[in-house]
Amino acid sequence: MSLKRLRAGELLALAGVISLTVSLFEPWYDGLIGKLDLWDTFGPGAVLLLVALLAALTMVASALTERNPGLPVSSAVWCVLVGLIGLVAAVVRILDTPEHAGSLKIGPWLALAGTIAIFVGAWEVLRDERQGLYQPAQPEPRPRP
């Protein structure tokens, strides 16, 4: 397992995972009872953000431990879809604050930056074919009749 196996897209998604993880423990809103974090306002949007985080971690882990390109490519395809859904959830969390919350804090902005990085990183992984990692096929020629 070497970090040299990670491409730019996976590194960008990993930076998104770090940003999204930090956002989970930072304040998200000012409320009547004080500062609220994601766990205080837990809902479907929070679940979608966590699923996007797990999808990106799966994509990075499969790239680190791959033996053939099947699993990393399929995990990147799913990460694009889940990352886009997480991005929409982050935007909704910014635009639609809970009813008992006031102004926005740093948490939703870190989550937005993280989900953008996850989505763009997964998209970039699909664009990069990593041709230098695998040996080209050398099939035996068919015998001539």
Side-chain angles (χ1 to χ4, degrees), residues 9-63:
E10 286 134 353
L11 291 173
L12 182 60
L14 191 58
V17 165
I18 292 168
S19 175
L20 192 53
T21 303
V22 169
S23 79
L24 298 178
F25 303 103
E26 291 293 322
W28 279 55
Y29 308 104
D30 259 342
L32 299 174
I33 58 173
K35 294 181 180 174
L36 303 172
D37 59 9
L38 181 70
W39 308 110
D40 296 325
T41 61
F42 196 80
V47 172
L48 293 174
L49 291 173
L50 292 174
V51 170
L53 184 131
L54 290 175
L57 280 176
T58 302
M59 180 182 70
V60 171
S62 68

Side-chain angles (χ1 to χ4, degrees), residues 2-3 32 43 47-48 53 63 70 82 89 91 95 101 103-105 112 133 142:
S2 171
L3 290 179
L32 299 174
V47 172
L48 293 174
L53 184 131
V82 174
V91 169
L95 296 177
S103 63
L104 291 172
K105 293 293 187 185
L112 180 64
L133 187 62
R142 295 175 122 184

